[in-house]
Amino acid sequence: MNELDVVGVRVEMPSNQPIVLLREVGGDRYLPIWIGPGEATAIAFAQQGMTPVRPLTHDLFRNVLEAVGQQLTEVRITDLREGVFYAELVFASGVEVSARPSDAIALALRTGAPIYGSDGVLDEAGIAIPDEQEDEVERFREFLDQISPEDFGSSNQ
């Protein structure tokens, strides 16, 4: 497993499909995962430190975990089969729960849990971006600084 950081979310054109972009910590690979607009909004809210008036689903789940004394210790992006990514939530109790990567990432950002990607997933879907192409990634980060969650369409209340 390789630790991943969330670079951010953006909307891929011309399909208008949101993407979350993860970066391998200590490596040069990036992992793009296509996600839904609701999950894009949830991830963007968490990254920007925005708190909605009423808890979104991921906020609610975090609150429930706190209420029952459970801790999310890590998120693992474990597999890629037929174009579909798979993830697991790993709890301090040892329990592992299957999840969509987008939901797992949104929850990890809210709880501070680290995100890991399997070697197989990164080998299959990771994109190596050498240092000389880092300016492209920097432009992406600048784009993220200018976008708001409302730009992803629907906003859950």
Side-chain angles (χ1 to χ4, degrees), residues 61-74:
F61 191 33
R62 178 204 54 220
N63 295 345
V64 169
L65 289 174
E66 289 174 2
V68 298
Q70 281 292 321
Q71 180 185 4
L72 180 65
T73 56
E74 65 185 54

Side-chain angles (χ1 to χ4, degrees), residues 9 20 35-50 52 56-59 100 102-110 149-150 152 154-156:
V9 291
V20 61
I35 61 176
E39 293 78 16
T41 299
I43 291 168
F45 269 22
Q47 280 200 299
Q48 295 176 5
M50 295 177 68
L56 298 176
T57 304
H58 304 96
D59 300 307
R100 296 183 307 179
S102 56
D103 291 326
I105 292 165
L107 190 57
L109 289 173
R110 284 165 171 73
E150 292 79 24
F152 296 109
S154 69
S155 166
N156 298 342

Side-chain angles (χ1 to χ4, degrees), residues 69-89:
Q70 281 292 321
Q71 180 185 4
L72 180 65
T73 56
E74 65 185 54
V75 162
R76 298 178 187 154
I77 300 173
T78 57
D79 204 1
L80 174 60
R81 295 188 305 257
E82 298 178 19
V84 177
F85 288 90
Y86 293 82
E88 293 175 348
L89 304 174

Side-chain angles (χ1 to χ4, degrees), residues 140-156:
F140 179 69
R141 286 189 182 119
E142 289 171 10
F143 167 80
L144 293 174
D145 290 339
Q146 298 170 13
I147 196 163
S148 73
E150 292 79 24
D151 294 330
F152 296 109
S154 69
S155 166
N156 298 342

Side-chain angles (χ1 to χ4, degrees), residues 89-155:
L89 304 174
V90 181
F91 297 94
S93 64
V95 172
E96 297 179 8
V97 177
S98 179
R100 296 183 307 179
S102 56
D103 291 326
I105 292 165
L107 190 57
L109 289 173
R110 284 165 171 73
T111 62
I115 302 167
Y116 297 96
S118 74
D119 291 329
V121 168
L122 285 164
D123 290 345
E124 185 174 345
I127 300 167
I129 300 178
D131 288 341
E132 61 269 9
Q133 292 181 0
E134 232 358 88
D135 60 336
E136 175 97 16
V137 174
E138 188 56 39
R139 284 197 299 274
F140 179 69
R141 286 189 182 119
E142 289 171 10
F143 167 80
L144 293 174
D145 290 339
Q146 298 170 13
I147 196 163
S148 73
E150 292 79 24
D151 294 330
F152 296 109
S154 69
S155 166

